[in-house]
Amino acid sequence: MDKNILHLLWNSINTYPEKPAFLYKKEGKYEALSYREVGEKITNLTHGLASLGLKPADRLAILSYNRPEWPICDFAIFSLRGVSVPIYHTLHPAQVRYILKDSGARVVFVENELQLNKIREIRKDCPELKFIILLSGSSDDQIIPWNQILQAGASHRQKHPDFYRNNLESINPKETCSIVYTSGTTGNPKGVMLHHHGFVLDLINSEAVFRLYPEDVFLSFLPLSHLYERLGGHWCPLYRGATIGYAEDISTVIDDIQQIHPTVMVSVPRLYEKISRAVMEQVES
């Protein structure tokens, strides 16, 4: 059995290098990112994080809605042997502050100006937070742009060509690789510490039910900060070399379905209720 999530991903990268891994909307049209390009970005981002002085067991948070950079960040954190801390993108600043402080995050990846403003509001209360990496939008001297960290990684990679492979092979399947915060029923969110071995078992058992093919196309719209989408909507299709298309927003799912033509959607009852209600309203009118 492959001992970590990264081995499963790299199997697909090596098997289907030119096949689309991700479809994302740019200026109203969907564009593709191949498995080979995804592997390159993960490798360069891992090197970029290492160039900042980040070490194994450091916690790195992701505050973003679904987009290709989300899993690229997730896999790069794993590759660094760090701990990935997803944060639900609709949380209020005070809730984001609690998760950053409780996890001891040294880095936070933020999607855009909206999420960046949350971090700016609470940064003084998070002394362990050293780096903010902005996925899209304008930045300042205190913020690291996405392209800049990738470029720094490419330079680090030239000087340390064996770093990524050595890190990958040194991962202990039982070491914590992610902390997922649950809403809980009382008090503050609880951080659940998870490791590669459990993830790999869940992934393989889930895919045995899915029975996926490389030709399958997924539509991603449930938040990646929740394990259901992360495991069922991302790791399973990537394990089989399938393609993941990103909804522009939860409100655009119907339009995105018509453009992507997904064969598989990982969903929850609430979406089906909304679709059913919309259909019945049209029938009645």
Side-chain angles (χ1 to χ4, degrees), residues 146-164:
W146 177 250
N147 287 337
Q148 181 178 312
I149 192 68
L150 293 180
Q151 290 168 3
S155 298
H156 186 273
R157 185 176 175 181
Q158 289 183 333
K159 299 172 185 175
H160 308 277
D162 297 325
F163 172 81
Y164 187 91

Side-chain angles (χ1 to χ4, degrees), residues 182-201:
T182 64
S183 57
T185 54
T186 58
N188 290 318
K190 310 298 190 295
V192 181
M193 301 171 72
L194 302 163
H195 52 60
H196 283 281
H197 180 69
F199 280 151
V200 170
L201 287 177

Side-chain angles (χ1 to χ4, degrees), residues 72-137:
I72 289 170
C73 291
D74 202 27
F75 289 126
I77 295 167
F78 291 163
S79 302
L80 189 70
R81 292 182 58 204
V83 179
S84 176
V85 183
I87 302 178
Y88 190 37
H89 68 286
T90 61
L91 291 183
H92 295 295
Q95 296 169 303
V96 173
R97 176 177 58 206
Y98 175 81
I99 293 174
L100 290 175
K101 291 185 68 175
D102 188 69
S103 67
R106 294 193 64 203
V107 175
V108 60
F109 294 93
V110 294
E111 179 180 14
N112 50 26
E113 291 286 338
L114 175 64
Q115 304 300 340
L116 180 58
N117 288 336
K118 296 179 185 178
I119 301 302
R120 283 178 169 145
E121 182 178 332
I122 62 175
R123 186 171 190 178
K124 65 181 184 300
D125 302 321
C126 303
E128 293 190 56
L129 183 63
K130 302 302 180 185
F131 304 104
I132 301 170
I133 300 174
L134 183 63
L135 303 184
S136 62

